[in-house]
Amino acid sequence: MKLIEYAKQKVLELAARAFVLSIGLCYASIAIVNLIFKRLRYGKDFLVVKERSLPPLCLQDTAYGRHAFLRLKDLKIHYVENGDRSKPLMLFVHGFPEFWFSWRHQLKHFSSTHWVVAMDMRGYGDSEKPTSISEYKAEYLVKDVCELIKALGRNKCTLVAHDWGGVVAWSVAAHFPEMVEKLIILNSPHPIAFHKKIKSSITQFLKSWYVFMFQIPYVPEMLFHTEDLACFERMFGGADNKMNVTEEDLEGYKYTFSRKGAWSPPINYYRCVLSGKDVLAPVTLPTITVPTLMIWGENDVALDKELPELTREYVTNMEVKYIANGNHFVQQDKPDEVNQAIEDFIG
Ligand SMILES: *[C@@H]1O[C@H](CO)[C@@H](O)[C@H](O)[C@H]1NC(C)=O
C-alpha cells in the first residue's frame, strides 16, 4: 500500500514537472525566435554587454549610506546602512532583478529616524553567490534574513520587502513573528493567495509567463543580456513606459548586472521554487499576526490587482495602500508616496 502511495506521488510530481517544463519550453521557443531576430538585427555581438570597469558614482553615494559586509553561518552578505545605529532597525529586502540600490530613496528618507539597512540577498550584488539551484530554497532565504538581524545585534526590526523579498518576508513574519515589529510589503502577494490565484485565473497565469520560461537553462540569461541590458529600461518603464529613474541610476543597475555570473543566481530563485517536490507542495504558513502594511503599485504588469484583497485572509491585521499609477517597482517609481505611506503606518 505504502509503495503504491509512493509511486502515485512520484507520478504526480513527474507530471507536474513535465507540465511546468512544457509551458516553459513554449515560452522559451518564442524567446529563441526573438533572439534570432536580434542576432540578425544587431550582428554577432548581440549578447555582448558593454564592459563597465568602474561603478557609477551613485553606487558610492554616501547620502544613501555606507557599504558593509557580515559573514553569516553559510555565506557573506553585503548591505548598505545609514542613520544612527542606536535607532530602531529598519531592514529592506529587495526583489528580482534588483539589489540594495532599489531602496536608495528610502535609505535616505528614513535615516533620520531609523538605522536603515538594505541587504543584497544571496546571489545578488556583492553578496556571495552559491552556484547550485538548491541553495536558493526559501528556507535558506528566510534564514539569511533572520541571521542578518541577529548579526546586526538585534532581536527584531521593521521589515520592509518587495517582490521576491516579500515572499521571504511573509515567511519570516509567519514563522518568527517575534523578530518582526512591523511588516511592510510592496507588490508581493501572500504566497498562498498567489498560489490560489495562479491556479484559478488565466490572466494571472499569463502574466506569470516568465516564471515558466525561467525554468529553461541559458535562454532567460541570454534574453536579459540583449541590447546591453535594455531589460532595465523595459521593466522600470512599466506599462506606461514612463520610468522614474535617472540615466545614472540605470547605469547602477547595469553595472551590477553586467558582472560575470550576475544573472543565473537570481533566476535560480525561480528554478528552485518550481523544482522537484516544491511544484506540488501546497504552501502552508502560519497566519500573519504582526501589524502589516501592504503597498501596491496599481500598474503592476506581473501581478493582478486583486492579490492584496486575497491576501487579507492570511493576515489578521493588515492595511492596504494602493499607489495610483505606480508600477511594480513602486519604491523607486513613486518614492514620495511610498515613504509617506510607510511613515503614516509606523507612526
Ligand atoms: C521620481 O523620483 C524622485 C526621486 O528621485 C521623486 O522626488 C519624484 O517625486 C518621483 N516622481 C514621481 C512622479 O513620483
Side-chain angles (χ1 to χ4, degrees):
M1 224 23 223
K2 269 230 171 93
L3 198 64
I4 294 177
E5 277 307 311
Y6 176 78
K8 236 173 155 176
Q9 180 63 24
K10 277 286 153 218
V11 168
L12 269 177
E13 271 169 38
L14 280 175
R17 186 76 191 134
F19 174 73
V20 167
L21 284 181
S22 46
I23 298 180
L25 275 173
C26 289
Y27 286 123
S29 36
I30 300 170
I32 289 166
V33 171
N34 183 300
L35 285 170
I36 292 170
F37 273 112
K38 290 205 161 124
R39 166 71 179 80
L40 294 174
R41 187 159 162 207
Y42 300 108
K44 67 176 175 18
D45 291 340
F46 78 119
L47 290 178
V48 177
V49 168
K50 198 174 95 192
E51 198 180 307
R52 295 167 165 88
S53 50
L54 286 175
L57 291 176
C58 60
L59 294 187
Q60 311 286 346
D61 191 341
T62 50
Y64 299 143
R66 315 169 284 276
H67 291 260
F69 290 89
L70 267 175
R71 169 150 278 290
L72 307 182
K73 279 191 202 104
D74 295 337
L75 79 180
K76 197 173 69 178
I77 290 288
H78 167 256
Y79 60 94
V80 168
E81 60 174 329
N82 203 349
D84 196 311
R85 283 179 163 229
S86 63
K87 300 238 165 82
L89 176 63
M90 196 181 226
L91 176 63
F92 294 89
V93 192
H94 64 80
F96 174 91
E98 303 167 74
F99 62 120
W100 70 268
F101 192 60
S102 292
W103 300 109
R104 59 196 175 284
H105 302 302
Q106 288 70 38
L107 284 170
K108 225 168 156 172
H109 187 84
F110 290 100
S111 63
S112 57
T113 53
H114 288 76
W115 177 24
V116 284
V117 171
M119 70 187 291
D120 285 344
M121 292 174 91
R122 65 164 66 197
Y124 277 94
D126 289 316
S127 285
E128 226 172 303
K129 302 174 173 55
T131 45
S132 77
I133 291 176
S134 64
E135 282 172 288
Y136 294 93
K137 275 194 192 121
E139 62 179 279
Y140 299 145
L141 306 173
V142 168
K143 202 165 64 82
D144 289 347
V145 170
C146 294
E147 281 184 18
L148 181 62
I149 296 169
K150 292 267 163 67
L152 290 167
R154 297 298 172 95
N155 292 320
K156 50 165 49 181
C157 68
T158 293
L159 187 57
V160 189
H162 170 241
D163 186 78
W164 249 107
V167 178
V168 177
W170 283 121
S171 228
V172 171
H175 292 296
F176 307 99
E178 71 285 357
M179 297 189 80
V180 183
E181 210 157 304
K182 287 198 167 151
L183 178 66
I184 299 158
I185 303 270
L186 292 74
N187 285 63
S188 181
H190 187 281
I192 305 178
F194 184 73
H195 208 248
K196 274 197 182 160
K197 182 79 183 164
I198 196 169
K199 281 203 304 201
S200 64
S201 151
I202 186 76
T203 50
Q204 182 55 56
F205 186 82
L206 292 173
K207 282 179 183 177
S208 303
W209 67 277
Y210 61 95
V211 178
F212 295 98
M213 199 264 289
F214 285 180
Q215 304 308 310
I216 308 302
Y218 305 115
V219 177
E221 280 89 338
M222 286 165 81
L223 270 189
F224 284 117
H225 279 92
T226 56
E227 293 165 75
D228 192 33
L229 305 175
C231 53
F232 286 107
E233 275 98 329
R234 273 183 226 124
M235 287 186 287
F236 294 162
D240 59 4
N241 219 4
K242 283 196 202 116
M243 59 174 180
N244 192 16
V245 180
T246 66
E247 277 304 315
E248 194 186 344
D249 292 342
L250 260 184
E251 270 306 303
Y253 285 94
K254 291 188 180 182
Y255 168 80
T256 302
F257 282 89
S258 65
R259 288 187 290 172
K260 201 167 173 295
W263 282 98
S264 290
I267 298 170
N268 283 346
Y269 278 55
Y270 294 90
R271 290 176 176 143
C272 186
V273 78
L274 282 187
S275 68
K277 286 204 177 67
D278 284 355
V279 184
L280 283 181
V283 201
T284 55
L285 275 186
T287 301
I288 309 271
T289 53
V290 302
T292 301
L293 169 67
M294 191 157 192
I295 297 177
W296 199 267
E298 288 187 344
N299 287 358
D300 195 318
V301 292
L303 296 168
D304 205 287
K305 201 180 143 181
E306 237 187 313
L307 285 162
E309 284 312 315
L310 298 175
T311 290
R312 284 192 194 279
E313 197 181 328
Y314 311 98
V315 190
T316 51
N317 179 1
M318 182 175 82
E319 285 173 33
V320 180
K321 170 77 186 165
Y322 291 97
I323 308 283
N325 301 317
N327 69 26
H328 178 71
F329 303 89
V330 67
Q331 70 271 46
Q332 72 176 12
D333 198 41
K334 298 278 177 245
D336 302 336
E337 287 161 67
V338 165
N339 293 349
Q340 189 62 51
I342 296 177
E343 218 167 278
D344 293 346
F345 177 66
I346 58 182

